[in-house]
Amino acid sequence: MTIEKIIDLQMLAFNNRDIKNMMSLYTDDTRIYNFSDHSLAINNKKECEEMFIKLFEQSPDLNAEIIKTIFFNNKAIVHEYVYGRNGNKEKKEQVVIFEIEGEKISRMDIIRE
């Protein structure tokens, strides 16, 4: 599977709140970092799944819209708008750097405004 397909499937699953298909795209040792201070926010797939389940429950109108994606080696740099996070109707801009290993997402670095 190409990196482009992985990101497309991840975005589709995210916008459909399809936790099963979404988590099938992540490695067991997936890590998520806050880019601003390089702090580790999520340490494995189980924590990642729990975070997304909670986010989906708290954000019934959650949706992401890609502005631009750059693919570089095994990374996808996704510039996007996110709507409805935690009930907030405001459109927020963010960048997510996805790292792919073995056709799965192994790391995400999130830059929020």
Side-chain angles (χ1 to χ4, degrees):
M1 185 172 1
T2 66
I3 191 171
E4 292 87 352
K5 183 69 173 172
I6 293 165
I7 298 305
D8 285 347
L9 289 172
Q10 192 277 339
M11 287 298 293
L12 181 63
F14 180 88
N15 283 334
N16 289 326
R17 291 169 194 70
D18 183 348
I19 198 72
K20 181 181 175 188
N21 282 322
M22 194 167 142
M23 295 317 302
S24 73
L25 300 168
Y26 289 81
T27 63
D28 289 339
D29 61 348
T30 293
R31 305 275 191 286
I32 300 178
Y33 292 88
N34 295 311
F35 187 83
S36 61
D37 63 3
H38 307 288
S39 63
L40 179 65
I42 300 293
N43 195 31
N44 57 51
K45 185 176 181 174
K46 184 177 190 283
E47 287 182 13
C48 185
E49 182 174 15
E50 290 169 355
M51 180 270 300
F52 280 120
I53 289 170
K54 183 177 178 182
L55 178 64
F56 293 158
E57 288 172 352
Q58 295 175 344
S59 309
D61 298 323
L62 185 65
N63 197 350
E65 173 190 332
I66 292 179
I67 301 166
K68 181 177 178 94
T69 304
I70 298 170
F71 298 100
F72 182 75
N73 293 331
N74 70 327
K75 293 176 182 60
I77 303 162
V78 179
H79 182 200
E80 63 187 3
Y81 289 123
V82 177
Y83 308 83
R85 180 183 297 276
N86 296 319
N88 187 340
K89 302 283 186 203
E90 189 177 346
K91 175 169 64 171
K92 297 282 191 170
E93 217 173 330
Q94 70 180 25
V95 173
V96 181
I97 304 168
F98 293 90
E99 190 169 321
I100 310 300
E101 291 181 14
E103 298 186 353
K104 292 193 179 223
I105 298 165
S106 62
R107 176 179 173 141
M108 294 167 53
D109 290 80
I110 302 173
I111 306 165
R112 291 196 176 108
E113 61 176 340

